[in-house]
């Protein structure tokens, strides 16, 4: 039996390639409630059915940073499993609302990569990840730079 591989090495990333991540997550009401409590985001649009029903979408919205956190987590086995560090996140965009019982999937495109200027055993990979729901609607996108180990260096 072959053991599972966590992440890719620097050389394995191909510019322009797209990874469709295998993991997914249905967001349940308890997930949203716990995240709201842990992060102290008590806005009633996330926790109060009556309040949410009287606003734009008519139902509870999932906290946006929960969607972002899940999307990052879903990418770990493929993108950052061999990472030394995530160097930065940018251009995080909430594209469409996410509701209780939506299922989140993610795909990632490799934008660029370069070898480290200071250490020969690593390189920097720049990716864009897009989270989408069970209907194929894009709900969130973000870009990040990841410092990744090289093979056998």
């Amino acid at each position: 039996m072959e053991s599972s591989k966590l992440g890719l090495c620097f050389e394995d990333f191909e510019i322009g390639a797209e990874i469709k991540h295998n993991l997914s997550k249905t967001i349940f009401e308890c997930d949203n409630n716990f995240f709201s409590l842990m992060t102290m985001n008590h806005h009633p649009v996330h926790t109060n059915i009556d309040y949410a029903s009287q606003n734009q979408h008519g139902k509870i919205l999932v906290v946006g940073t929960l969607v972002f956190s899940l999307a990052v987590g879903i990418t770990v086995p493929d993108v950052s499993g061999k990472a030394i560090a995530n160097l930065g996140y940018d251009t995080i965009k909430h594209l469409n609302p996410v509701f209780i019982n939506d299922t989140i999937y993610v795909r990632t495109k490799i934008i660029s990569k370069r070898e480290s200027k200071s250490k020969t055993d690593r390189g920097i990979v720049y990716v864009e990840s897009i989270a989408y729901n069970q209907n194929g609607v894009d709900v969130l996108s973000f870009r990040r730079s990841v410092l990744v180990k090289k093979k056998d260096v």
Side-chain angles (χ1 to χ4, degrees), residues 77-136:
D78 302 310
V79 174
S80 58
K82 291 198 183 334
I84 297 165
N86 285 299
L87 299 176
Y89 295 86
D90 54 66
T91 61
I92 300 167
K93 297 178 185 176
H94 297 277
L95 306 172
N96 282 293
V98 175
F99 302 106
I100 303 297
N101 296 322
D102 277 355
T103 300
I104 301 300
Y105 301 89
V106 183
R107 64 185 183 274
T108 297
K109 184 171 185 177
I110 313 311
I111 305 295
S112 64
K113 69 180 201 176
R114 69 172 179 81
E115 294 187 13
S116 170
K117 294 175 184 171
S118 59
K119 297 189 178 182
T120 60
D121 67 338
R122 59 196 68 182
I124 298 169
V125 180
Y126 189 61
V127 300
E128 178 179 44
S129 297
I130 298 173
Y132 55 98
N133 67 18
Q134 68 279 359
N135 300 315

Side-chain angles (χ1 to χ4, degrees), residues 11-132:
E11 296 86 348
D12 298 324
F13 288 94
E14 295 180 27
I15 296 171
E18 188 169 282
I19 301 166
K20 186 174 180 183
H21 302 284
N22 289 327
L23 297 177
S24 60
K25 171 72 173 109
T26 299
I27 302 173
F28 300 109
E29 185 175 18
C30 61
D31 299 323
N32 192 57
N33 287 345
F34 286 145
F35 195 85
S36 293
L37 290 169
M38 284 191 319
T39 59
M40 299 182 66
N41 183 343
H42 302 293
H43 193 289
V45 77
H46 302 304
T47 59
N48 183 314
I49 291 172
D50 183 49
Y51 179 89
S53 71
Q54 298 172 41
N55 283 276
Q56 180 178 350
H57 300 290
K59 53 186 173 179
I60 288 182
L61 291 174
V62 171
V63 178
T65 48
L66 171 55
V67 178
F68 173 67
S69 296
L70 289 172
V72 170
I74 287 169
T75 69
V76 167
D78 302 310
V79 174
S80 58
K82 291 198 183 334
I84 297 165
N86 285 299
L87 299 176
Y89 295 86
D90 54 66
T91 61
I92 300 167
K93 297 178 185 176
H94 297 277
L95 306 172
N96 282 293
V98 175
F99 302 106
I100 303 297
N101 296 322
D102 277 355
T103 300
I104 301 300
Y105 301 89
V106 183
R107 64 185 183 274
T108 297
K109 184 171 185 177
I110 313 311
I111 305 295
S112 64
K113 69 180 201 176
R114 69 172 179 81
E115 294 187 13
S116 170
K117 294 175 184 171
S118 59
K119 297 189 178 182
T120 60
D121 67 338
R122 59 196 68 182
I124 298 169
V125 180
Y126 189 61
V127 300
E128 178 179 44
S129 297
I130 298 173
Y132 55 98

